[in-house]
């Protein structure tokens, strides 16, 4: 029997209703709309204002929408992976909770923490699991309530992040040329302290002092991360293109993690891939960490055609980065 291929069957997103504009941030920190737009490309981001709703809620909403749209019986789902750095609890995980909320009672669940590359890592692992033939349907959710770890007194970081979730259904199919083709994933812990949350883990558990020091918020050395993000995403895309004999003209879409518009334009230049091929929605949502790639797929789904060649790429804390090459498997009216 031919080895099954992992094929994306549908995608759905969830964004909280509250829109935080750059102008609102001007009232919180010493910044301005013009600086934020020209340095990052961000105009606004969504914030989950309800204190009783967090990452599981957003992931569940995205997953429910996806099930409704695809018509899949939740009992047919084998696994729910949630990519996140803002799980509702340090333990247990989000994936199990989302599975329960959507009635995926035959599924197991777990979380993947690979910062902004979490969705990429999760999707790649899910695809490879499906290719083994052991599983049939996997739900990959990317969800982050970044506002829960954003220091709204730090202008260097608070302008960047937003809250959102996206979910993708991937199924094993035989006798198809579409779907997942290849992936390349990397990590390098030398960047560990350039983008991280200092407190709250086992090394520096919460104390009165850690709260006072604001150690429970995301910290980043923006300039260093920026340079590495451009370099490593461009390298990973180039690597996966070379390995699959792809030329820039062969590609229909690049779906890159949305951290900064200038990162995307630099990657586009380095690879000689026109910006028209890049999905860009950072102006509306900011950096939603694990959710940026599925949110892009969701927004562009109606434009995607069966056979379109896509490269997904991300770079994030860890450092973690990589690229996935896939052939889109359906027209939006399917
Ligand atoms: O998703 C995971 C990966 N994350 C990323 O890829 C993010 C990578 N980094 C970035 O996107 C950018 O480095 C930032 C957007 C975070 C910062 O942009 P930058 O162009 O690297 O600015 P900078 O940190 O070099 O700061 C330039 C100036 C500084 O002032 P001086 O020292 O030149 O007087 C900052 O103090 O801009 C100042 N600045 C601000 N000014 C107004 C920094 N933040 C702000 C702000 N508003 N919000």
């Amino acid at each position: 029997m031919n080895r099954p291929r992992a094929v994306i069957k549908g995608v759905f997103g969830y964004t909280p209703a509250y829109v935080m504009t750059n102008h609102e941030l001007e009232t919180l920190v010493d910044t301005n709309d013009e600086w934020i737009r020209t340095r990052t490309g961000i105009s606004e981001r969504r914030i989950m204002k309800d204190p009783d709703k967090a990452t599981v809620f957003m992931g569940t909403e995205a997953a429910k929408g996806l099930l409704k749209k695809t018509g899949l019986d939740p009992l047919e789902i084998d696994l729910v992976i949630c990519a996140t750095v803002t799980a509702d609890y340090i333990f247990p995980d989000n994936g199990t909770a989302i599975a329960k909320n959507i009635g995926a009672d035959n599924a197991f669940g777990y979380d993947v923490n690979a910062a902004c590359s979490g969705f990429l890592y999760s999707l790649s692992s899910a695809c490879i699991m499906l290719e083994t033939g052991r599983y049939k349907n996997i739900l990959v959710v990317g969800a982050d309530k970044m506002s829960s770890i954003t220091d709204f007194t730090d202008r260097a970081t608070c302008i960047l992040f937003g809250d959102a979730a996206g979910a993708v259904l991937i199924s094993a199919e035989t006798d198809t040329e579409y779907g997942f083709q290849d992936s390349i994933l990397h990590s390098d812990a030398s960047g560990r302290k350039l983008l991280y949350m200092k407190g709250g883990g086992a090394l520096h558990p919460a104390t009165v002092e850690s709260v006072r020091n604001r150690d429970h918020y995301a910290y980043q050395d923006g300039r260093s991360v920026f340079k590495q993000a451009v370099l490593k995403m461009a390298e990973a895309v180039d690597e996966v293109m070379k390995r699959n004999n792809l030329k820039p003209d062969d590609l229909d879409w690049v779906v890159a993690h949305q951290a900064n518009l200038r990162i995307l334009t630099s990657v586009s230049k380095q690879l000689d891939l026109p910006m028209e091929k890049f999905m860009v929605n950072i102006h509306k949502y900011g950096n939603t960490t694990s959710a940026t790639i599925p949110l892009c797929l969701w927004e562009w789904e109606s434009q995607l055609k069966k056979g379109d060649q896509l490269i997904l790429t991300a770079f994030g804390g860890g450092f973690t980065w990589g690229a996935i090459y896939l052939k889109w498997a359906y027209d939006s009216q399917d």
Side-chain angles (χ1 to χ4, degrees):
M1 195 183 84
N2 288 340
R3 194 177 68 161
R5 239 183 224 291
V7 166
I8 292 183
K9 304 291 282 182
V11 53
F12 208 81
Y14 172 84
T15 57
Y18 187 83
V19 178
M20 181 184 260
T21 62
N22 291 345
H23 295 296
E24 183 176 347
L25 285 165
E26 287 173 358
T27 67
L28 303 176
V29 288
D30 179 15
T31 190
N32 58 79
D33 173 55
E34 212 253 329
W35 190 96
I36 303 172
R37 275 191 292 104
T38 52
R39 303 309 292 168
T40 70
I42 302 167
S43 298
E44 57 189 44
R45 68 289 292 143
R46 300 299 180 97
I47 302 292
M48 172 54 80
K49 282 285 191 182
D50 184 339
D52 295 327
K53 293 188 171 115
T55 312
V56 165
F57 172 82
M58 295 193 295
T60 300
E61 289 300 299
K64 277 184 181 165
L66 180 58
L67 285 180
K68 197 169 168 209
K69 183 165 134 182
T70 56
L72 182 78
D73 179 349
L75 296 175
E76 299 288 317
I77 298 171
D78 301 301
L79 165 62
V80 178
I81 304 176
C82 182
T84 188
V85 295
T86 52
D88 282 15
Y89 302 105
I90 285 189
F91 79 93
D93 68 300
N94 278 357
T96 304
I98 295 169
K100 183 79 184 161
N101 289 346
I102 61 171
D105 294 341
N106 294 322
F108 66 109
Y110 60 83
D111 289 359
V112 167
N113 180 341
C116 295
S117 309
F119 183 80
L120 199 81
Y121 274 35
S122 303
L123 184 63
S124 174
S125 331
C127 290
I128 292 164
M129 288 166 98
L130 290 165
E131 283 179 346
T132 66
R134 181 178 285 233
Y135 303 106
K136 183 86 182 90
N137 298 301
I138 299 181
L139 214 61
V140 176
V141 179
D144 270 303
K145 186 180 177 182
M146 291 305 292
S147 62
S148 69
I149 58 164
T150 298
D151 183 352
F152 284 99
T153 67
D154 173 18
R155 71 175 184 174
T157 52
C158 74
I159 55 147
L160 298 169
F161 298 111
D163 303 335
V168 165
L169 169 66
I170 316 145
S171 303
E173 276 186 7
T174 41
D175 302 321
T176 177
E177 61 176 284
Y178 303 110
F180 176 75
Q181 306 288 317
D182 196 10
S183 69
I184 288 171
L185 304 178
H186 295 286
S187 66
D188 175 3
S190 62
R192 198 167 165 78
K193 292 200 173 165
L194 296 174
L195 177 49
Y196 76 127
M197 198 164 95
K198 295 179 187 174
L203 191 58
H204 300 295
T207 60
V208 171
E209 205 192 348
S210 73
V211 172
R212 218 177 268 136
N213 290 343
R214 312 186 79 77
D215 288 346
H216 300 276
Y217 295 118
Y219 160 85
Q220 91 165 323
D221 173 343
R223 278 186 207 185
S224 308
V225 176
F226 188 104
K227 281 185 204 142
Q228 289 301 310
V230 174
L231 185 74
K232 298 301 186 187
M233 281 201 283
E235 268 177 23
V237 173
D238 188 51
E239 213 180 333
V240 88
M241 283 176 71
K242 285 205 173 106
R243 199 153 88 175
N244 293 279
N245 298 314
L246 294 167
K247 299 276 169 285
D249 280 349
D250 298 325
L251 287 184
D252 296 288
W253 296 103
V254 180
V255 195
H257 170 58
Q258 313 276 302
N260 186 320
L261 182 60
R262 289 187 297 127
I263 293 179
L264 302 185
T265 51
S266 302
V267 171
S268 143
K269 273 193 202 118
Q270 285 212 11
L271 291 166
D272 206 14
L273 280 166
M275 269 311 279
E276 294 71 53
K277 295 195 178 196
F278 282 67
M279 295 183 187
V280 178
N281 62 11
I282 190 169
H283 51 291
K284 292 195 286 185
Y285 304 124
N287 181 350
T288 56
T289 304
S290 309
T292 64
I293 291 178
L295 271 191
C296 279
L297 292 173
W298 179 48
E299 279 206 76
W300 265 262
E301 191 188 25
S302 60
Q303 293 181 53
L304 291 171
K305 293 186 294 298
K306 190 170 183 171
D308 274 359
Q309 309 221 72
L310 277 70
I311 287 193
L312 280 45
T313 183
F315 177 88
F319 290 138
T320 53
W321 70 97
I324 290 177
Y325 162 43
L326 56 88
K327 288 186 190 168
W328 198 251
Y330 60 96
D331 292 319
S332 61
Q333 65 270 22
D334 282 1

